Amino acid sequence: MSRLDELKTSIKAELPGLDCVIGWQAGFDPLHNTPLFMRSTEDVDRLAWGPLNVHNCANYLPALRGRKVGIVVKGCDSRSVAELIQEKLIDRDNLVIFGMPCSKVVDLSKVGIVLEKAGTGLGQVKEVTIGADEIVVTVPGNSFPLKMADVAADKCLGCQFPNAVLVDRFFGDPLPSATDAGVKPPDPAGFDAMAPSERIAFWKFHLERCIRCYACRNACPLCVCRDHCLAGSREPHWISQENTIKEKLFFQVAHTVHLAGRCTECGECQRACPMDIPILALKRHMSSVIRDLFDYQAGTDPLAVPPLLFFRAEEKNIDEGGL
Amino acid sequence: MAREKFLPRDRISDWLGALGRERRLFVPRKEGGSIVLRPFRSGEEGLFGVDLTGSAKTVIFPACQELFSYGQTKDRENPESTLLKLYPSISAEPTAVFGIRPCNAKGFNVFDRVYLGERFPDPYYQSARENTVFVTLACERVDNTCFCNWVGGGPDDTSGSDVLMTPVRGGFVAEAISGKGAVLLDTPLMGMAEGELAEAEAVRAKAKKDLGPAPEMDLIMESIRGLFDDLRFWEHVSDKCISCGACTYLCPTCYCFNISDEAYGLTGRRLRSWDTCMSFQFTLEASGHNPRPTKAHRLRNRIGHKFGYFPALHCASPACCGCGRCIRNCPAGVDIREILLEAIGHAKGLDREVANE
């Protein structure tokens, strides 16, 4: 029995006691998987596992609070689950977590760049074959073997948590961590090296095309204000309707600050952005600040209290004596 | 219509340059990972055969538009009264948009029914619409998310275009669809199309064939409207929706807006900005009551509006151009085609149940 079959069998066994189990299934074309809400054994038969399971289904959990549900997680998704539990936004007792070791997911934008260079595009993909270290993407008249190292999501390249940090049923042999805690994750946008003026120029260029759909916000599993976001508030009128970079950047900074010490860098904000704006750079930067100040990584220990959710008279890494 | 012209590939930049001298000209450009409409730069070739990430509706119906500004002055003699002056801000510069797909331009037909209706024509929309020409490129290739033929369109649909250009070897065959479009083709840069006509026809025929047959859509309006009270159906199809506004803001036919007064002391501006029925705030009432409290209610509205209520008001014509933007850009992979087919199947199933009773 394959690992996936074992997982399916396990979900089927648990399903009668659960409202639903959230996972993934094949989507509208061979390159796209899509979240799956399993309620019957036929649904479970459609469950897929692999590098196309790009979504972080932890996003759905807060809205299902009060019901007993299951969720299938990658390592990174499990950090969001842990963080939601840490913040008491979901109940551990009402959750069954299923996991398998994850060896990277695909960044479809990167696949798109390769295909566009060859004169074709994501919309032309007719077949996808998934191998151990590569995926082969076929369009009419051509096939592209793509190394996972080249098309994996940036978050996967230095992945510390290929296995779930919190799990009830785990199938397969745990994978080794790609990097140890403390090693700096990749900085694809080159954001860290930029001077403040360059950063502003970077955001001015990229946010020009932001359409303020707030997919970044809604795809974020830790963005839990949901229907009561400051961006939708008219009284007080925090954010103007004016379609300016100032307003867009204001929201992105508010989002980042609100996620300080909570963001697990799952990258859903950036993946969800229909305009391909590299907004994860802001959150990555904030996470590195949090790491330096508090020696803390969000969503790695369900029993830990996030650093900005409690007060300590003296912080080890913050020298307040000079004030 | 006028006979087709031929524009050699090496003259496209000159032609765009000529268009751009007399009006604002927008062309598709790659920016970051997406394709956006930007003002033409001299010498630019434009991008061909690509689809804008967003839609060209931004040109006629911007994401945010000032309707008027205002200022209040206090009356020294009568301190209780203030004089309010309004400064309307309708401007309509002659504008051309080059290189969008026919379905994108077709989307304006949906807008026109609402914004150019007899009872309440919208002057802002009207002035922009009248001053804008759309030069579309017939699709050579069909994407996995294309479904224009489900909603009465096609890769060479002309119903929203002023000029339709078909790519052929060595250039483009250009056909004037409207009088406004014919003016653009009156240029020494183009000759009459001759031998290229057959090739253009073949390009268009191939794209149509690649689209494949459209499913039977006759029952869609009744099916969608019949499902209004079946909230379980809408809960099921909206399970994975994350309630963002990507689908509606990218959509060439979504036309809903919000109005805000942005005040700065005694002066201010009234702004019209895109709104999205996927948002909780869209129908939130002042009392706190919300008739569409869940994402199921809201997705029901989006699909219902496009395929149920709008067609009921407007000659059975759906408020959808089949461009597929909402499918390919949905962060959660919600596929409107799947929902439509499920709705039709559901209605047929109910019919059978009734017949069997």
Side-chain angles (χ1 to χ4, degrees):
Chain A
M1 203 196 267
S2 76
R3 289 179 316 165
L4 178 58
D5 287 333
E6 287 174 39
L7 172 63
K8 287 180 180 173
T9 305
S10 171
I11 293 174
K12 285 176 185 172
E14 300 275 356
L15 203 53
L18 300 171
D19 188 272
C20 66
V21 178
I22 314 169
W24 303 264
Q25 65 174 325
F28 65 81
D29 76 7
L31 202 51
H32 289 81
N33 278 4
T34 182
L36 166 69
F37 286 68
M38 294 170 268
R39 296 195 171 87
S40 66
T41 53
E42 293 77 34
D43 293 339
V44 181
D45 289 333
R46 297 205 300 275
L47 177 67
W49 182 263
L52 301 178
N53 286 357
V54 295
H55 323 74
N56 181 351
C57 296
N59 181 50
Y60 298 109
L61 293 178
L64 295 170
R65 193 173 193 178
R67 304 190 211 171
K68 197 161 168 72
V69 298
I71 184 169
V72 187
V73 294
K74 309 185 289 292
C76 48
D77 308 336
S78 74
R79 288 182 62 189
S80 304
V81 176
E83 182 67 29
L84 288 168
I85 291 169
Q86 282 177 266
E87 297 185 25
K88 301 187 171 57
L89 292 164
I90 56 173
D91 307 312
R92 181 69 183 92
D93 296 344
N94 275 341
L95 193 63
V96 180
I97 309 170
F98 302 87
M100 294 220 287
C102 167
S103 47
K104 299 185 185 69
V105 293
V106 168
D107 180 338
L108 293 182
S109 298
K110 292 185 183 177
V111 177
I113 291 169
V114 175
L115 297 183
E116 278 164 32
K117 274 188 184 152
T120 176
L122 287 175
Q124 298 294 307
V125 173
K126 301 298 174 217
E127 196 186 326
V128 173
T129 316
I130 290 161
D133 297 315
E134 69 168 20
I135 62 167
V136 181
V137 176
T138 303
V139 300
N142 212 344
S143 274
F144 299 86
L146 306 171
K147 289 263 168 288
M148 275 305 287
D150 296 330
V151 294
D154 290 331
K155 67 174 173 182
C156 305
L157 298 177
C159 178
Q160 291 170 251
F161 303 97
N163 315 298
V165 297
L166 181 67
V167 72
D168 297 308
R169 314 270 182 273
F170 192 79
F171 301 91
D173 302 324
L175 286 167
S177 177
T179 45
D180 296 325
V183 174
K184 251 181 144 33
D187 175 24
F191 193 69
D192 292 347
M194 288 182 200
S197 62
E198 291 172 309
R199 288 184 189 174
I200 283 295
F202 177 86
W203 292 118
K204 276 185 177 167
F205 171 74
H206 284 293
L207 289 175
E208 170 87 40
R209 63 181 188 274
C210 165
I211 55 169
R212 300 208 287 183
C213 65
Y214 296 119
C216 49
R217 173 192 71 187
N218 289 35
C220 174
L222 273 310
C223 232
V224 287
C225 300
R226 301 286 154 146
D227 298 340
H228 308 281
C229 175
L230 66 87
S233 162
R234 296 203 129 199
E235 200 61 54
H237 201 40
W238 296 111
I239 292 187
S240 158
Q241 283 299 300
E242 289 184 77
N243 192 31
T244 61
I245 287 165
K246 190 178 112 196
E247 301 298 326
K248 296 169 183 177
L249 187 57
F250 176 50
F251 173 77
Q252 290 303 338
V253 170
H255 189 186
T256 305
V257 172
H258 198 176
L259 284 165
R262 309 173 58 234
C263 172
T264 63
E265 295 170 67
C266 72
E268 282 293 85
C269 50
Q270 182 162 319
R271 185 193 65 78
C273 178
M275 306 308 286
D276 246 335
I277 300 171
I279 31 180
L280 184 57
L282 278 177
K283 282 108 185 175
R284 278 196 52 256
H285 192 77
M286 179 58 87
S287 291
S288 76
V289 170
I290 293 290
R291 239 185 330 263
D292 291 347
L293 287 181
F294 302 107
D295 297 322
Y296 178 79
Q297 245 187 322
T300 54
D301 173 5
L303 298 176
V305 181
L308 298 182
L309 293 194
F310 74 106
F311 177 76
R312 202 185 266 139
E314 280 187 40
E315 287 289 348
K316 197 172 68 170
N317 298 340
I318 304 175
D319 177 18
E320 290 180 283
L323 285 177
Chain B
M1 198 36 73
R3 276 201 54 203
E4 290 91 337
K5 298 252 181 123
F6 177 69
L7 176 66
R9 181 74 188 234
D10 57 6
R11 289 192 193 157
I12 187 93
S13 182
D14 290 344
W15 183 61
L16 291 175
L19 291 189
R21 273 192 289 280
E22 287 165 25
R23 52 186 79 68
R24 294 190 306 166
L25 171 62
F26 291 98
V27 298
R29 189 179 300 148
K30 185 99 187 167
E31 218 170 72
S34 51
I35 297 162
V36 288
L37 274 184
R38 290 287 180 250
F40 172 74
R41 292 182 195 137
S42 179
E44 191 172 8
E45 275 232 331
L47 287 169
F48 306 109
V50 293
D51 199 8
L52 296 177
T53 308
S55 102
K57 75 177 171 189
T58 48
V59 175
I60 308 270
F61 184 71
C64 178
Q65 176 173 33
E66 181 183 297
L67 300 181
F68 56 78
S69 57
Y70 62 87
Q72 289 171 307
T73 33
K74 293 203 169 173
D75 184 348
R76 279 167 184 272
E77 303 302 318
N78 181 8
E80 286 180 4
S81 106
T82 51
L83 179 69
L84 176 68
K85 278 195 172 171
L86 301 183
Y87 308 98
S89 24
I90 297 187
S91 71
E93 287 176 75
T95 301
V97 177
F98 169 80
I100 62 172
R101 285 188 177 174
C103 53
N104 196 165
K106 185 183 165 72
F108 288 107
N109 296 338
V110 173
F111 270 81
D112 289 350
R113 289 179 185 274
V114 178
Y115 286 81
L116 302 181
E118 273 176 25
R119 286 173 68 204
F120 304 109
D122 181 277
Y124 300 91
Y125 178 85
Q126 188 166 26
S127 61
R129 183 81 166 105
E130 282 169 1
N131 278 283
T132 305
V133 285
F134 290 99
V135 179
T136 59
L137 281 175
C139 301
E140 276 183 286
R141 65 179 198 210
V142 168
D143 284 339
N144 292 342
T145 44
C146 290
F147 65 110
C148 55
N149 57 340
W150 292 34
V151 290
D156 59 349
D157 186 279
T158 57
S159 60
S161 308
D162 295 291
V163 172
L164 177 73
M165 300 183 56
T166 307
V168 293
R169 263 169 304 169
F172 301 89
V173 168
E175 181 188 357
I177 308 301
S178 70
K180 282 196 291 188
V183 176
L184 307 186
L185 303 190
D186 184 15
T187 161
L189 294 165
M190 295 189 191
M192 296 315 275
E194 302 291 347
E196 298 88 2
L197 286 174
E199 191 190 336
E201 187 49 45
V203 166
R204 298 198 291 248
K206 181 181 179 299
K208 273 185 214 168
K209 185 166 159 277
D210 289 348
L211 260 178
E216 184 61 66
M217 295 291 283
D218 290 352
L219 287 172
I220 191 63
M221 189 168 80
E222 292 73 17
S223 303
I224 292 286
R225 296 178 80 196
L227 279 164
F228 187 86
D229 289 318
D230 190 346
L231 205 58
R232 288 190 64 152
F233 174 85
W234 298 106
E235 280 169 355
H236 158 67
V237 296
S238 68
D239 261 343
K240 60 189 175 184
C241 171
I242 59 168
S243 295
C244 73
C247 49
T248 51
Y249 286 175
L250 298 169
C251 176
T253 68
C254 273
Y255 56 72
C256 288
F257 61 79
N258 198 358
I259 299 269
S260 318
D261 283 353
E262 305 272 353
Y264 316 96
L266 291 176
T267 62
R269 304 164 72 208
R270 176 159 295 179
L271 304 176
R272 166 158 86 182
S273 51
W274 290 350
D275 205 350
T276 167
C277 58
M278 299 288 92
S279 153
F280 178 79
Q281 276 80 14
F282 190 77
T283 48
L284 180 60
E285 294 170 6
S287 65
H289 172 67
N290 196 334
R292 294 182 203 147
T294 72
K295 62 182 181 180
H297 292 88
R298 298 193 287 269
L299 192 63
R300 175 183 72 184
N301 178 71
R302 180 160 171 272
I303 312 284
H305 183 208
K306 289 185 176 306
F307 290 91
Y309 334 137
F310 186 94
L313 284 171
H314 298 287
C315 312
S317 166
C320 172
C321 62
C323 69
R325 280 179 177 76
C326 58
I327 306 166
R328 71 174 176 261
N329 293 297
C330 176
V334 174
D335 186 342
I336 194 168
R337 296 169 298 189
E338 198 181 302
I339 300 174
L340 296 176
L341 294 179
E342 262 190 62
I344 293 172
H346 203 82
K348 280 185 176 163
L350 287 179
D351 280 353
R352 268 197 299 277
E353 277 176 33
V354 172
N356 291 340
E357 272 171 15

